[in-house]
Amino acid sequence: MADPDVLSSAYPAAVSSSVRKHPVPLDDSLAASDGGPSFAKRPRAAAELPAPGGSAASPELDVRALVSLTTGIYPLARAEALRGLAEVVEKADASCSVGSGIVECSYESAVELMRDDDEGVRLAVVRLVGACAQKFSATVDVDANGYGDLMDMIFLQLSSMARDMCTQVRIEAFSALGKMQRVSEGVLLQSLSKKVIKTDTMCGSIINGQKLPPKLKIPCAAGVFSHGIEDEFYQVRTVTCKSLGALAKFSKQYAEKALDLLMDMMNDDTRAVRLQTLQALLQMATYGCLSVQEKHMHMFLGLLVDTSALIRDAARKILGLVTLPKLQMFKSAVDGLVTSLEKNPEEQDVYGILFSIGKNHGSFSANIAKHLAKEITMASDGELILDKPRIKALLIVSISAPFSNDKHKKLDIPSIIFSHAICLLGKISCALGEDVNQDLLLSYLCHKSGMPFWENRSISAEFGESESCNVQKMEIDAHMENPAKATKCLDETIVMQSMKAILETVEGTWNMRMSCNICEVRTILRTCKEELNVLAESSSGLIGAFLSFLCEYLDAIQLIIEIWQLIQLDNLYTFGLTSVDILLEKLDISIRRMECCFAGLNRELEVQVLELSLIAHLFRLSNIGVCKVVLGKLLWVINHLEGLCADGSYELSDFNGEIKKAFNDDLTGVNLISNIHTLFELFHPKPTTDFGMLKAITAVLQVSDNNSENPLLYVCGLPVGVSFNIFLRNISSHHKLWICMTIDEAEVQGALQELHYWFTWKACPMEKAEARTRWIEWHTGMWIDGDFSLP
Amino acid sequence: MSIECLVLVQGQGRRWGKAAWWQPLVENASCLTVACTWATTITATTQTSLVRSLSRGASDFTTAISCIVITHLCRLVLCSHLDHIGALPYFTEVCGYHGPIYMTYPTKALAPFMLEDYRKVTMDRRGEEEQYSYEDILRCMKKVIPLDLKQTIHVDKDLVIRAYYAGHVLKPLPNSKVLGAAMIYAKVGDAAMVYTGDYNMTPDRHLGAAQIDHLKLDLLITESTYAKTIRDSRHAREREFLKAVHKCVSGGGKVLIPTFALGRAQELCMLLDDYWERMDLKVPIYFSAGLTIQANMYYKMLIGWTSQKIKDSHAVHNPFDFKHVCHFERSFINNPGPCVLFATPGMISGGFSLEAFKKWAPSEKNLITLPGYCVAGTVGHKLMSGKPARINLDKDTHIDVRCQIHQLAFSPHTDSKGIMDLIEFLSPKHVILVHGEKPQMAFLKERIESELGMPCYYPGNNESVSIPTTKNLKMSATERFITSCAAEQGKLRVHKGNLVCGASMPEVIGSAEDVDVAEGILLMDKRKAPKILCDDELVEVLGMERHLVQFEPMVSRIEASVQSELQRAKAADLGSEGNE
């Protein structure tokens, strides 16, 4: 079946159907095409043929076979052949000559079948033409003019398909229209208006030497979209709206007219259509091609008080992005938002929208601010209720003016606004974005309203806290300078600065471990860790790895402090599992993770980790008494440390030296335990910020096709294949992977007897993006007896 | 073989500013289909010509006409045309036609009422003796065979008809919208045609768009009432309407929407109900009592003829049970506060809508929405033709009109875009335009011929058009012919394949020139089915010997061979009439 030659010979069988009635000896090339009852299935297989692997051999052959099948007499076969062509076209590389040839000849055979009697064939034609259009537009630079006209022609052809009687075809045609590119403005405009627009340029354009067939003059595109939005089926209307929005980015004039059509769709009776319309508008707004006019305002305001929360939300988002040309419109938009807020007070994100709409219209919001200031000063004491949504909303709008981008105008906002806005601090900071620090904002507002506040603030709080505040301040400075940009990926230098500040805090905290309450220390450390976590999440690469290393380090420090506290309190030998034991175990795990989960630890970092493990062993000794195993480990660590510092480039710390001395003095370790206090005093965490080439080693295991909604199906007693994807990052060749499978405890005994598993794995070629990532696919098969869930 | 088209005279009067409309009769060699609308009428004067042209020598209509198909209801009770009568009962009962009559289910359900009203109107207005009685109508209706959508009916051994959904049809008469219209596909032998009746290509809120399969047609007969107009989108009108109503009720005003019972009222009500739901408005919408009962019965019965959305949702709840709509009591008319009221009749010519109008018109807060058309003499017509400050109902009653007036335009028939789309989709070999004005039809004909490249006609009254039809011929082929064809093609293909691969020029593959031609001889014998043969089989089939002709450079020999050649040709002439 996979032999293309055989396939291509299926064509005669398709042409002369009567062959199947007369199976006669044929020559060699025809022997396979008996054209029996299985004929209809033949092209189905052909359609699958160009799937990965097969197409590489000779796509031309496949294409030729499929093209010849498209002229067959059976509609199902034609449709399958077209579908097969679409698959080939999608995989084809249009930039090379072979690829573009394939696309062109597929397109030609699709055009032939555009008026086919069968719906399925027409559907396949639309899909194929759509796929071809995408390929054509990808290669457009080859011959800009010729292809431009070709794109117009495809657009027109798809438009004429969009008036098909079959719903499915219409849906497909409209979605294909939405994916078109490089269509000329005239054609786009014509697609919106049912009336034929007269243009001289389009008539009789010549494409690749062929004159346009008379059917494909511009009128057939006339008003396809206006028909689409009036369609009986909401699916068609939805797709139409989507395409209308998608095409808007190509032409300003088109966008304006499309907006008119889309506004009409707001009255559609299906909510899905309305939502899709809003999405299209949002897309247009994001591309900056949404120019709202006065006549549209009524509709927008109606949307703001819609009963559906989704619609309201979408409408608000759009309003937050658009630019309104007139003050009157701006005011009505703000009023609409206020009304919506009054009706649905739970929707607090209105404030965010108010802020951004105010920010977009700096001078308008300054105007509002002036009026509001007047209102505030006019109102006598107690008359003005700040709690009213309206006042709150107007304050937010006024506050947003200084953040606006039109810097050329100097917008002076009355200071009274700022002083009133102070009580809306939370809302404003929400509007500005999640990461904004309220203190900083407060200081800004105070500064603007002329109140002395931040500068003279006495730093009475714990320095740890203030430090962390400082850290945040740095972040916010970045935000405030450029409020429009929601920087998710923080700047590297800022991260480094904040990291250093955190580490200083940690050192400081270590110093106060004796004097202060343990709880306080713990709180500070925890805050630091959270900070680091936030930073780690927003960074990647080396810094990200280092930050997660530091998180582990802080974990260890925290555990050490806690253990020390317990050891001080209760120095008695106890039996059984105590909280100290648990903490010690945790510490061990933490240290081991630092050792094993990171590759490329430099010497400094390694020494740090080893010191931590020294402490851990010390604690263990003091907890369980003299133990040979622990002592042996201790000795190993000491030797290792010595080895690291042997070349003299790095000096052993006092702590190391003392332990070594104590250990050498008394090999039994009794000395160590008795001197533990002095030894511990000597330990100082000195986390370095030099991380060299640190990399985090990670392994992620995913079971494909298995979730709570679609669980893996299996039958007891039969082998089941479970596919795993294991993603390994930053591993080297000497790493070994240990996979441990556990199956429900209760069943494991019996089941394990019967459990056979085998792995087939294939390593994919490494991709550029993840050069250090290895991707291994596991196919695991196992016999399963009994009734239990799969791991 | 051809389709002959005869256009019958249908009245001389002008109707809504248009010239008399034409109806076609389609005739085929063996049978005759009268695809007529309800409006196909026979007046006393035209009757004789009809009989003459239809019967064609046959003694009566029953033998001359295979069947009658009624595509949709057209005339309404209010019709003011004196020279028309409902043709069907007359045709069956008076003229004595006994053949089958087909109608769609909704048409059949509504026809008796329409006919009876019609009979009364014509009798009243004409002052003539009645041409048929009520009993005639009942008897006639008994003969009608209902027709479902996409149901194929074999009328007799040649004629096959099938109905397709034609969308909603809105007649230019006030507010009447009739569902149940169908397009008729008729096929006689190999000749196929579609008669559209009235149809609409754009759906509205409660009725869908026309729908038809891709058919191989020789002829499409389409109505062309709006051959030149292109309608704008209904969405804009809806938006304006909603905006006006919303503005009015939020200002505390009352909205009066005079409508007829069926069609438009339901559509507007669905629109408003939906808007109310979305905007969470609490203002009551009233329906005066008669409206809902009639409408619901009507629509529930005919749910299959409505739009997709209604079909989808009616299983869950009746889409005509409006959430925000309540019944109106007469006493509510003086209630304060805003409200929306649907009231009959549509042109404020009397009844409840006039009563409400009298009460509400003097306040400038209130709003009256008017339909697109009102008959002259009604209050509606006066309001439409410029905004009068005062309307005199009769000598004693005046109404001060201070309220706002909003006009709702209608979308009757399909527009020229819709006609073009249908023709383009069906791609028939010929198009005939009927049911329109001559200059506009001429314009549309130009467009069809230039843009779609199809011959188009718009025959006038009593003109005939003859259209050639396709004839398919079944023929068999001998095994050897097929084998040789296939082998030939196979070789060709392999050859080409090598060529393409070798030259690595994929542009050539699958191009249009890739058509394979097979040669053979077509043998047509009067007693046997036609057959295709190979060259060398011919001699065998004809049971003759093969003559060899050898040319020698001598004149006498040539003569001899010519003789034998002639003999062979003669033999071949006996059986074969053509070859390919």
Side-chain angles (χ1 to χ4, degrees):
Chain A
M1 214 50 237
D3 183 7
D5 270 322
V6 175
L7 272 171
S8 65
S9 64
Y11 171 61
V15 175
S16 53
S17 67
S18 31
V19 165
R20 61 187 169 148
K21 285 181 196 149
H22 312 281
V24 286
L26 302 168
D27 71 15
D28 285 347
S29 71
L30 285 164
S33 66
D34 56 304
S38 67
F39 174 73
K41 283 183 184 152
R42 193 173 287 273
R44 205 172 289 274
E48 286 155 13
L49 188 97
S55 60
S58 75
E60 299 106 282
L61 278 178
D62 300 343
V63 171
R64 196 169 48 248
L66 289 168
V67 164
S68 61
L69 281 171
T70 57
T71 52
I73 57 166
Y74 296 104
L76 283 178
R78 288 199 297 271
E80 283 297 343
L82 286 169
R83 249 164 269 165
L85 278 177
E87 292 238 344
V88 179
V89 166
E90 260 160 42
K91 295 212 169 61
D93 178 16
S95 53
C96 69
S97 70
V98 178
S100 67
I102 288 173
V103 175
E104 254 167 56
C105 92
S106 309
Y107 169 67
E108 271 168 27
S109 55
V111 170
E112 293 281 309
L113 291 175
M114 270 174 65
R115 303 272 157 222
D116 201 274
D117 290 345
D118 188 77
E119 286 173 0
V121 176
R122 293 203 299 274
L123 187 63
V125 163
V126 175
R127 283 197 185 134
L128 180 53
V129 171
C132 289
Q134 281 179 356
K135 291 288 167 187
F136 280 134
S137 60
T139 58
V140 87
D141 47 280
V142 180
D143 175 14
N145 283 329
Y147 273 104
D149 282 352
L150 182 62
M151 295 312 281
D152 281 353
M153 184 156 96
I154 296 177
F155 191 88
L156 295 180
Q157 281 166 337
L158 286 174
S159 301
S160 70
M161 297 299 280
R163 289 292 282 148
D164 200 276
M165 289 281 173
C166 171
T167 318
Q168 214 52 43
V169 175
R170 289 203 298 272
I171 293 173
E172 201 62 46
F174 275 116
S175 74
L177 280 176
K179 288 177 194 141
M180 292 290 292
Q181 281 171 334
R182 295 164 206 274
V183 184
S184 69
E185 195 176 40
V187 177
L188 280 179
L189 288 176
Q190 182 62 79
S191 71
L192 296 178
S193 150
K194 282 190 197 172
K195 298 209 170 69
V196 178
I197 301 166
K198 290 239 155 68
T199 44
D200 306 328
T201 50
M202 267 313 293
C203 295
S205 62
I206 291 161
I207 288 149
N208 292 348
Q210 288 173 313
K211 216 164 173 354
L212 269 178
K215 268 190 181 182
L216 284 166
K217 278 189 197 150
I218 209 163
C220 71
V224 262
F225 283 117
S226 2
H227 284 297
I229 58 168
E230 282 182 354
D231 201 275
E232 186 178 350
F233 293 84
Y234 77 91
Q235 295 95 328
V236 182
R237 295 198 299 269
T238 316
V239 176
T240 311
C241 290
K242 197 173 172 187
S243 299
L244 265 175
L247 289 170
K249 53 180 179 278
F250 297 122
S251 152
K252 206 167 175 226
Q253 219 181 335
Y254 169 87
E256 275 172 26
K257 295 202 168 146
L259 178 62
D260 288 345
L261 290 186
L262 284 172
M263 287 325 278
D264 286 339
M265 294 313 287
M266 293 299 153
N267 274 331
D268 197 273
D269 43 19
T270 316
R271 191 196 289 177
V273 180
R274 296 203 297 272
L275 275 174
Q276 181 57 60
T277 311
L278 284 168
Q279 211 147 26
L281 287 174
L282 189 63
Q283 198 187 355
M284 283 165 75
T286 337
Y287 278 110
C289 48
L290 185 72
S291 61
V292 180
Q293 287 158 32
E294 204 140 21
K295 59 180 174 184
H296 303 135
M297 282 317 282
H298 171 77
M299 202 59 94
F300 266 120
L301 301 183
L303 289 172
L304 287 176
V305 289
D306 198 283
T307 38
S308 156
L310 281 171
I311 302 251
R312 286 198 302 268
D313 188 53
R316 278 200 298 268
K317 271 188 195 146
I318 295 169
L319 268 188
L321 286 172
V322 293
T323 325
L324 303 166
K326 286 184 192 160
L327 178 64
Q328 196 49 46
M329 285 163 73
F330 176 74
K331 275 185 177 162
S332 63
V334 171
D335 285 347
L337 284 167
V338 171
T339 329
S340 136
L341 186 66
E342 278 165 353
K343 273 201 171 175
N344 310 285
E346 73 282 356
E347 284 172 356
Q348 293 293 318
D349 64 321
V350 174
Y351 291 113
I353 301 296
L354 279 166
F355 190 85
S356 63
I357 195 177
K359 203 177 73 197
N360 292 342
H361 306 84
S363 48
F364 292 163
S365 20
N367 182 300
I368 293 238
K370 258 176 224 154
H371 281 95
L372 183 66
K374 221 179 271 173
E375 196 180 330
I376 291 171
T377 40
M378 295 282 273
S380 51
D381 281 343
E383 215 172 272
L384 184 86
I385 304 161
L386 260 182
D387 213 26
K388 266 207 223 151
R390 186 179 153 267
I391 303 295
K392 273 199 268 184
L394 290 182
L395 270 175
I396 297 265
V397 172
S398 313
I399 280 297
S400 67
F403 294 87
S404 81
N405 291 330
D406 39 349
K407 298 272 186 217
H408 55 282
K409 270 184 230 162
K410 201 171 172 338
L411 306 161
D412 45 325
I413 309 296
S415 58
I416 191 162
I417 297 284
F418 287 103
S419 54
H420 276 78
I422 290 174
C423 45
L424 295 175
L425 189 66
K427 296 222 161 58
I428 298 172
S429 70
C430 274
L432 268 171
E434 301 148 11
D435 311 315
V436 171
N437 171 253
Q438 298 201 350
D439 291 341
L440 192 79
L441 194 64
L442 183 62
S443 77
Y444 169 76
L445 291 175
C446 292
H447 168 74
K448 282 281 186 182
S449 56
M451 277 184 220
F453 179 68
W454 181 262
E455 285 88 352
N456 304 337
R457 188 182 166 205
S458 56
I459 305 171
S460 55
E462 241 78 64
F463 67 92
E465 280 173 17
S466 69
E467 281 292 341
S468 60
C469 273
N470 281 343
V471 173
Q472 283 176 334
K473 189 179 171 188
M474 277 184 281
E475 291 166 36
I476 283 117
D477 281 342
H479 271 280
M480 296 296 268
E481 279 162 19
N482 198 355
K485 244 199 284 172
T487 45
K488 273 281 165 237
C489 197
L490 294 172
D491 196 9
E492 199 170 302
T493 48
I494 294 176
V495 173
M496 286 306 287
Q497 275 174 325
S498 5
M499 195 167 70
K500 271 181 195 146
I502 292 171
L503 292 182
E504 275 166 31
T505 319
V506 171
E507 277 180 62
T509 321
W510 178 262
N511 291 336
M512 50 191 260
R513 74 190 184 277
M514 300 298 172
S515 54
C516 277
N517 184 2
I518 184 90
C519 289
E520 230 166 283
V521 174
R522 208 189 287 161
T523 320
I524 294 172
L525 281 178
R526 198 181 294 146
T527 327
C528 290
K529 219 162 58 186
E530 276 165 19
E531 289 289 321
L532 275 179
N533 266 325
V534 169
L535 289 175
E537 271 164 27
S538 54
S539 342
S540 56
L542 297 178
I543 295 188
F546 183 57
L547 285 171
S548 45
F549 176 83
L550 277 184
C551 285
E552 290 291 344
Y553 190 81
L554 284 197
D555 247 345
I557 297 285
Q558 195 183 336
L559 285 167
I560 286 167
I561 289 174
E562 276 178 42
I563 294 167
W564 179 245
Q565 192 76 11
L566 286 173
I567 285 174
Q568 274 183 322
L569 287 176
D570 177 19
N571 213 1
L572 294 169
Y573 297 105
T574 44
F575 294 98
L577 218 56
T578 60
S579 50
V580 180
D581 289 318
I582 296 167
L583 287 173
L584 272 174
E585 205 53 53
K586 277 189 181 171
L587 183 60
D588 271 350
I589 291 170
S590 187
I591 291 168
R592 218 177 298 150
R593 227 183 265 149
M594 272 184 270
E595 284 170 350
C596 306
C597 293
F598 296 92
L601 288 172
N602 60 15
R603 188 188 293 168
E604 225 170 318
L605 290 175
E606 211 167 330
V607 169
Q608 277 179 16
V609 175
L610 286 173
E611 279 192 0
L612 285 179
S613 65
L614 268 186
I615 284 258
H617 291 315
L618 246 137
F619 282 157
R620 206 165 270 278
L621 277 181
S622 79
N623 195 31
I624 58 172
V626 178
C627 164
K628 267 202 176 154
V629 181
V630 180
L631 276 175
K633 281 183 187 168
L634 197 64
L635 186 60
W636 184 85
V637 173
I638 291 169
N639 288 339
H640 199 112
L641 272 171
E642 224 168 37
L644 278 176
C645 307
D647 62 350
S649 60
Y650 190 81
E651 228 174 88
L652 275 179
S653 63
D654 297 346
F655 172 66
N656 277 338
E658 280 306 310
I659 288 193
K660 196 184 161 195
K661 223 197 269 167
F663 194 74
N664 286 343
D665 289 352
D666 178 16
L667 283 171
T668 55
V670 185
N671 228 354
L672 277 175
I673 298 169
S674 53
N675 286 341
I676 192 158
H677 281 269
T678 36
L679 286 172
F680 187 66
E681 287 298 317
L682 285 170
F683 177 76
H684 283 288
K686 268 190 229 121
T688 171
T689 51
D690 174 25
F691 48 82
M693 295 297 288
L694 193 69
K695 281 172 201 136
I697 299 173
T698 53
V700 179
L701 184 137
Q702 290 174 339
V703 181
S704 41
D705 308 325
N706 184 34
N707 54 36
S708 56
E709 280 171 17
N710 305 307
L712 210 60
L713 291 176
Y714 68 95
V715 178
C716 283
L718 290 179
V720 64
V722 185
S723 302
F724 296 104
N725 290 329
I726 301 179
F727 297 92
L728 303 173
R729 261 167 236 268
N730 300 322
I731 57 158
S732 61
S733 52
H734 66 266
H735 275 112
K736 287 194 175 68
L737 194 67
W738 175 263
I739 296 181
C740 177
M741 280 196 206
T742 43
I743 299 173
D744 252 6
E745 292 288 342
E747 299 289 342
V748 98
Q749 296 304 323
L752 272 177
Q753 305 288 319
E754 306 285 319
L755 184 81
H756 313 284
Y757 54 87
W758 60 91
F759 298 118
T760 54
W761 70 1
K762 47 183 180 188
C764 261
M766 286 181 225
E767 286 176 27
K768 280 178 205 158
E770 294 178 300
R772 300 287 299 165
T773 304
R774 293 207 174 170
W775 177 80
I776 301 166
E777 194 184 350
W778 297 74
H779 292 289
T780 316
M782 56 178 106
W783 292 88
I784 294 176
D785 279 338
D787 186 21
F788 52 81
S789 60
L790 280 172
Chain B
M1 189 164 282
S2 66
I3 298 176
E4 263 179 58
C5 222
L6 173 75
V7 174
L8 281 188
V9 179
Q10 196 221 328
Q12 287 78 39
R14 292 174 63 78
R15 182 199 302 162
W16 315 123
K18 289 182 177 60
W21 292 355
W22 306 328
Q23 297 300 328
L25 293 171
V26 177
E27 192 187 10
N28 209 290
S30 61
C31 28
L32 186 73
T33 314
V34 182
C36 64
T37 64
W38 230 180
T40 302
T41 54
I42 311 159
T43 62
T45 47
T46 56
Q47 189 194 334
T48 44
S49 70
L50 176 75
V51 173
R52 200 176 52 236
S53 42
L54 283 184
S55 49
R56 301 198 129 209
S59 53
D60 61 320
F61 286 117
T62 317
T63 48
I65 300 173
S66 304
C67 69
I68 292 177
V69 184
I70 310 289
T71 55
H72 66 286
L73 290 166
C74 179
R75 204 47 18 107
L76 254 197
V77 190
L78 271 169
C79 176
S80 57
H81 297 275
L82 305 179
D83 51 356
H84 293 166
I85 56 162
L88 194 64
Y90 184 81
F91 205 58
T92 58
E93 304 308 313
V94 182
C95 298
Y97 169 76
H98 298 296
I101 303 162
Y102 296 99
M103 283 184 194
T104 61
Y105 279 99
T107 310
K108 194 189 173 190
L110 295 163
F113 308 104
M114 297 286 186
L115 272 177
E116 174 59 9
D117 284 328
Y118 199 68
R119 191 182 64 93
K120 280 182 191 157
V121 169
T122 47
M123 265 172 58
D124 291 348
R125 303 247 173 139
R126 285 170 80 101
E128 291 174 11
E129 83 287 8
E130 57 175 20
Q131 296 195 332
Y132 53 88
S133 65
Y134 182 60
E135 283 68 36
D136 284 339
I137 296 176
L138 293 184
R139 262 196 309 251
C140 166
M141 291 319 291
K142 273 187 195 151
K143 293 179 188 166
V144 171
I145 305 163
L147 183 65
D148 211 347
L149 288 182
K150 296 203 176 177
Q151 179 189 2
T152 309
I153 290 181
H154 292 266
V155 178
D156 53 30
K157 72 174 174 32
D158 288 324
L159 179 64
V160 174
I161 58 168
R162 195 184 305 151
Y164 287 98
Y165 186 54
H168 76 269
V169 172
L170 191 130
K171 300 308 295 181
L173 276 163
N175 290 9
S176 62
K177 186 157 18 180
V178 182
L179 46 75
M183 299 185 190
I184 300 296
Y185 166 74
K187 192 177 175 194
V188 181
D190 293 318
M193 60 157 285
V194 163
Y195 176 76
T196 62
D198 286 359
Y199 62 101
N200 202 330
M201 296 289 280
T202 34
D204 66 13
R205 267 174 198 260
H206 72 308
L207 296 176
Q211 218 175 1
I212 194 161
D213 294 335
H214 231 298
L215 302 161
K216 279 201 168 64
L217 295 179
D218 295 308
L219 174 63
L220 172 73
I221 302 175
T222 171
E223 66 127 342
S224 52
T225 321
Y226 288 81
K228 219 172 173 178
T229 12
I230 291 177
R231 280 201 313 274
D232 55 345
S233 134
R234 82 183 148 87
H235 286 98
R237 290 192 300 273
E238 283 182 2
R239 189 182 59 194
E240 290 304 312
F241 172 72
L242 288 175
K243 198 174 164 185
V245 170
H246 192 174
K247 208 174 128 200
C248 175
V249 294
S250 55
K254 295 177 164 64
V255 183
L256 173 65
I257 307 175
T259 52
F260 273 90
L262 293 178
R264 197 67 184 170
Q266 274 70 33
E267 192 188 347
L268 290 180
C269 214
M270 286 171 88
L271 181 65
L272 279 181
D273 197 59
D274 197 47
Y275 189 73
W276 252 236
E277 178 77 35
R278 276 190 284 128
M279 293 295 146
D280 202 19
L281 295 177
K282 301 281 183 257
V283 177
I285 302 175
Y286 295 117
F287 233 56
S288 61
L291 278 164
T292 43
I293 300 161
Q294 280 181 38
N296 284 351
M297 186 193 76
Y298 179 66
Y299 276 99
K300 267 183 208 161
M301 188 168 67
L302 307 167
I303 203 95
W305 295 75
T306 53
S307 76
Q308 193 59 39
K309 193 209 163 198
I310 294 182
K311 277 185 229 165
D312 289 345
S313 61
H314 95 279
V316 187
H317 84 288
N318 181 359
F320 296 102
D321 280 344
F322 300 111
K323 204 173 164 190
H324 299 266
V325 176
C326 26
H327 279 288
F328 193 72
E329 303 288 332
R330 243 153 227 282
S331 54
F332 290 177
I333 204 160
N334 291 320
N335 282 5
C339 71
V340 179
L341 171 67
F342 285 85
T344 49
M347 291 179 287
I348 331 185
S349 52
F352 195 59
S353 61
L354 184 62
E355 201 176 316
F357 179 74
K358 275 190 220 165
K359 291 267 191 244
W360 294 354
S363 164
E364 54 282 317
K365 273 201 284 182
N366 296 342
L367 174 79
I368 312 282
T369 62
L370 288 173
Y373 177 80
C374 287
V375 169
T378 57
V379 175
H381 187 258
K382 283 178 197 158
L383 290 174
M384 274 173 67
S385 48
K387 195 181 168 188
R390 154 179 288 225
I391 285 179
N392 302 327
L393 277 186
D394 48 50
K395 273 177 231 152
D396 308 320
T397 33
H398 317 284
I399 308 171
D400 292 322
V401 182
R402 288 192 211 94
C403 63
Q404 308 147 48
I405 291 167
H406 181 89
Q407 277 204 31
L408 264 177
F410 285 104
S411 52
H413 293 273
T414 183
D415 59 359
S416 91
K417 179 83 174 79
I419 299 173
M420 291 297 283
D421 284 339
L422 184 79
I423 297 175
E424 197 192 338
F425 179 79
L426 287 173
S427 302
K429 294 204 181 73
H430 306 272
V431 181
I432 289 183
L433 302 177
V434 291
H435 209 285
E437 284 175 59
K438 202 164 184 177
Q440 295 192 349
M441 285 157 93
F443 173 79
L444 191 62
K445 170 194 150 84
E446 276 304 306
R447 270 195 71 187
I448 292 169
E449 289 188 341
S450 65
E451 280 174 28
L452 304 176
M454 294 165 194
C456 178
Y457 316 94
Y458 54 106
N461 289 347
N462 269 336
E463 280 176 30
S464 293
V465 182
S466 188
I467 287 157
T469 59
T470 46
K471 171 81 181 157
N472 294 334
L473 198 62
K474 263 190 194 166
M475 57 182 79
S476 55
T478 57
E479 278 175 26
R480 203 188 302 173
F481 173 72
I482 290 161
T483 316
S484 68
C485 272
E488 198 70 27
Q489 278 184 356
K491 272 182 212 157
L492 209 61
R493 198 150 291 277
V494 169
H495 177 65
K496 269 193 187 172
N498 289 339
L499 186 94
V500 170
C501 285
S504 77
M505 274 171 62
E507 287 81 9
V508 185
I509 52 173
S511 62
E513 304 100 65
D514 212 9
V515 179
D516 304 301
V517 181
E519 281 181 18
I521 295 171
L522 178 66
L523 193 69
M524 283 172 90
D525 193 326
K526 285 211 175 89
R527 286 151 295 173
K528 291 179 204 160
K531 208 169 188 183
I532 301 179
L533 306 173
C534 259
D535 296 357
D536 42 356
E537 277 179 309
L538 182 68
V539 186
E540 278 174 43
V541 173
L542 293 175
M544 312 201 52
E545 277 177 45
R546 181 178 282 263
H547 297 269
L548 266 180
V549 182
Q550 279 185 336
F551 292 101
E552 281 179 34
M554 285 170 81
V555 182
S556 62
R557 292 281 176 94
I558 291 172
E559 277 175 356
S561 58
V562 167
Q563 213 104 67
S564 72
E565 181 76 357
L566 278 174
Q567 264 183 349
R568 209 190 98 179
K570 231 180 243 171
D573 275 347
L574 282 176
S576 66
E577 285 172 356
N579 56 12
E580 203 179 357

